[in-house]
Amino acid sequence: MRIEDTNIKKFIATSDVISLLNMSCGFLSVICSLNSKFELAALLMIFAIMFDSVDGWVARKTNRQDTLGFGKNIDSLSDAISFGLAPAIFVYATINTTTTAIEPIVILVSLLIVICGVLRLTRYNVIADLIKTKDFIGFPIPGIAFILATYYLSGLYNIYIALILSIIVSLIMVSTIIYPKFDNVPILAISVILIFLLILPFKIVLLSVNIPALLLLLFCLYYLIINLIKHYTHHTN
């Protein structure tokens, strides 16, 4: 390859721009967390997930030719920021501004999110062409951002539960538990509607609980737990 062939214009495609939008939302979420704008930080993580969910689809629809793996790398690097760094900073900032007594624990949990996220993404890149499966090995990394964001937006956010969830989800991300790609069309349609309701200027609240956020959180927790149960049920039989 010649130096002239490394012009960035020769590498980047439409799907990569969408990956960069994912990354941008993650970065802006970090900025918002550092400035205690937690609701916006949570929404930005959800926006990042939305961009991440369509970049692969766009690549397929545009017949992206990516023999060098540029798209795969930019997707993973973007995910590391949006679903590794952003939720880690979110956890640290929300809890650190509430109480400083457990700050060392919060730092370690935040670091665990980043470490497991990077390990999860790196493993995926290494085995992607070696293992023929459409399913996820380990809990998909956007899930931790989705759980934390919807948990906070629900109005039920508790710092200790957030820490426990962060530890559990981080460890499951690097496990070998199989998580099938979610293709239940009715549930996906309902989820899209709930996300739309969540980002509207007005809130749908009952007894101080944001209903769309709570339902999205429950959907994700169900996906997390039911496949965990299936895995251990299968291995004990």
Side-chain angles (χ1 to χ4, degrees):
M1 178 180 287
R2 301 172 303 169
I3 297 296
E4 294 78 9
D5 294 329
T6 61
N7 188 310
I8 198 66
K9 293 179 182 179
K10 295 181 180 293
F11 292 93
I12 199 163
T14 304
S15 56
D16 301 325
V17 174
I18 296 174
S19 293
L20 289 174
L21 289 172
N22 158 18
M23 182 207 67
S24 298
C25 287
F27 172 76
L28 292 173
S29 176
V30 170
I31 297 298
C32 289
S33 291
L34 293 175
N35 287 279
S36 300
K37 298 179 180 178
F38 301 124
E39 184 172 331
L40 183 55
L43 287 173
L44 283 164
M45 283 193 285
I46 291 175
F47 287 143
I49 294 169
M50 293 170 67
F51 284 122
D52 182 59
S53 65
V54 299
D55 58 2
W57 179 83
V58 171
R60 290 189 295 272
K61 290 298 180 181
T62 56
N63 293 317
R64 170 77 189 281
Q65 300 300 315
D66 189 25
T67 55
L68 296 175
F70 185 85
K72 180 174 71 174
N73 279 282
I74 197 171
D75 180 59
S76 291
L77 291 169
S78 297
D79 287 355
I81 293 174
S82 296
F83 313 130
L85 181 63
I89 297 297
F90 183 82
V91 166
Y92 174 76
T94 54
I95 298 176
N96 189 46
T97 54
T98 306
T99 174
T100 58
I102 57 172
E103 185 174 5
I105 296 174
V106 177
I107 292 173
L108 289 175
V109 172
S110 299
L111 179 60
L112 179 68
I113 294 173
V114 176
I115 290 174
C116 289
V118 170
L119 288 173
R120 170 75 173 73
L121 292 166
T122 306
R123 180 179 66 180
Y124 173 79
N125 285 348
V126 169
I127 68 174
D129 298 325
L130 302 176
I131 297 182
K132 301 301 179 183
T133 178
K134 293 182 179 180
D135 298 327
F136 298 109
I137 300 176
F139 191 63
I141 187 172
I144 191 165
F146 194 79
I147 287 173
L148 290 171
T150 54
Y151 184 34
Y152 184 85
L153 293 170
S154 71
L156 299 172
Y157 196 74
N158 176 279
I159 59 173
Y160 302 106
I161 294 177
L163 284 174
I164 294 170
L165 276 174
S166 297
I167 294 170
I168 293 172
V169 177
S170 294
L171 295 177
I172 296 177
M173 283 197 302
V174 294
S175 72
T176 55
I177 298 171
I178 301 299
Y179 279 86
K181 287 197 174 181
F182 200 76
D183 55 3
N184 187 310
V185 176
I187 297 296
L188 285 173
I190 293 171
S191 299
V192 170
I193 294 171
L194 290 172
I195 290 173
F196 176 74
L197 294 174
L198 190 61
I199 62 179
L200 288 175
F202 57 87
K203 298 179 181 179
I204 302 175
V205 177
L206 179 64
L207 300 176
S208 301
V209 176
N210 188 307
I211 301 304
L214 177 60
L215 291 174
L216 288 167
L217 172 63
L218 292 176
F219 283 167
C220 197
L221 288 177
Y222 175 80
Y223 176 69
L224 173 75
I225 295 169
I226 194 65
N227 290 291
L228 186 64
I229 293 172
K230 287 179 180 178
H231 173 82
Y232 285 106
T233 301
H234 174 74
H235 282 79
T236 53
N237 291 337

